[in-house]
Amino acid sequence: MHSQGANPVFDQLFEDSRLAVLRGKHGRDKPPADGGRWPVSVIASTDPTSFSARLQDLLDELTEYTGPGHFRTGRAGASHITVRALEPYREAASRDDLIVGEWTDAMKRTAVAIPAFDLAWTGVTLTRGGVLAQLEPHDRTPWELLDRFRSELGELAWFEDQWMKRNIWYSSIIHFAAEIREPRALVDWIAKHRQLDSPATTVRVTGLDLVRFHHTIAPETGEQYMRLSRWNSVELAG
């Protein structure tokens, strides 16, 4: 599953989610509340590339089929590649919390051992909760990063340890949060974009960012998204 080439998990996600979306049984995200989703997390820091602009283009296309009311996660200020969530959502979470220093120290110990690496954006896929940009590693370095960070966190890794180990790299383009305007057209659009035109866009991962998410409504459009603020950043080796 973690070898070079297409990750079959992306295909399985599409097949498992297609009928749920067509029947209106998709997930519906909500603004975060204590104990819920969108907690303090570590995300990948990336070099400026065409990735962000291309995400925005696809997000605009997707919105024609999804309609309004969803979380526009692929927009500027919200797009991200999650490495690990660290705790349940806490409204009171602050960059001054003592645990922030422990998380940051684990990030630093991880970063000195892992070199910068590339991910290939090869296509998009569907989940019950939204649409993902699928990112494919060229070698084992991204998986080594996940393993090393989990090890450096030690007991602080408890939150994600409750679930299955991450087995894909991805960036969310949209999180469903309302009815989908045209479910059939949306599924057909994703099916046509399962593989993007070659060559794949290269996403260079250069570091780790400790971030907090904030539910935000854009005043100019009324669109909602989870704006991220960076608390601490470290660079990967090389």
Side-chain angles (χ1 to χ4, degrees):
M1 182 178 299
H2 295 165
S3 61
Q4 184 176 350
N7 190 329
V9 175
F10 290 121
D11 294 326
Q12 194 63 53
L13 284 171
F14 179 79
E15 292 303 323
D16 290 348
S17 307
R18 182 172 53 85
L19 288 180
V21 169
L22 291 174
R23 294 169 179 171
K25 303 295 185 182
H26 57 279
R28 290 166 174 80
D29 224 319
K30 297 178 180 179
D34 282 344
R37 286 168 40 79
W38 300 100
V40 176
S41 301
V42 170
I43 67 172
S45 177
T46 58
D47 269 348
T49 64
S50 59
F51 182 53
S52 296
R54 204 171 181 194
L55 270 182
Q56 181 68 60
D57 289 342
L58 288 189
L59 175 59
D60 292 340
E61 287 190 58
L62 279 169
T63 304
E64 295 180 16
Y65 306 116
T66 63
H70 304 281
F71 287 13
R72 290 171 60 86
T73 319
R75 62 160 281 163
S79 65
H80 60 280
I81 303 169
T82 301
V83 172
R84 193 176 185 97
L86 296 172
E87 63 174 7
Y89 181 84
R90 286 189 299 125
E91 181 61 33
S94 165
R95 66 189 310 161
D96 296 324
D97 292 343
L98 291 178
I99 198 170
V100 169
E102 298 181 67
W103 288 332
T104 304
D105 287 343
M107 290 165 57
K108 291 177 179 177
R109 293 192 298 270
T110 301
V112 298
I114 303 294
F117 57 87
D118 292 334
L119 299 169
W121 181 14
T122 59
V124 300
T125 196
L126 181 68
T127 74
R128 289 173 182 259
V131 182
L132 310 180
Q134 56 188 44
L135 306 175
E136 303 280 6
H138 294 286
D139 57 30
R140 286 202 52 81
T141 305
W143 308 113
E144 291 169 358
L145 169 64
L146 296 183
D147 291 342
R148 181 63 180 248
F149 187 43
R150 190 259 166 262
S151 176
E152 294 295 350
L153 282 169
E155 293 182 356
L156 297 180
W158 69 273
F159 183 59
E160 279 207 10
D161 278 357
Q162 300 174 89
W163 301 292
M164 184 181 74
K165 184 178 178 181
R166 288 179 179 268
N167 58 4
I168 54 174
W169 283 82
Y170 65 91
S171 183
S172 293
I173 305 174
I174 196 165
H175 281 81
F176 301 140
E179 292 296 317
I180 295 173
R181 177 190 287 160
E182 299 181 46
R184 169 60 65 183
L186 173 66
V187 170
D188 290 346
W189 184 92
I190 293 171
K192 292 177 182 177
H193 291 80
R194 290 286 296 110
Q195 296 296 320
L196 297 180
D197 294 338
S198 297
T201 297
T202 296
V203 182
R204 182 74 171 170
V205 175
T206 59
L208 301 173
D209 295 329
L210 181 66
V211 302
R212 164 148 195 188
F213 295 95
H214 309 267
H215 183 254
T216 303
I217 298 178
E220 66 278 10
T221 63
E223 69 182 22
Q224 61 177 336
Y225 62 101
M226 296 301 297
R227 175 177 56 85
L228 58 86
S229 57
R230 287 173 171 81
W231 284 357
N232 286 312
S233 300
V234 298
E235 293 185 2
L236 297 178

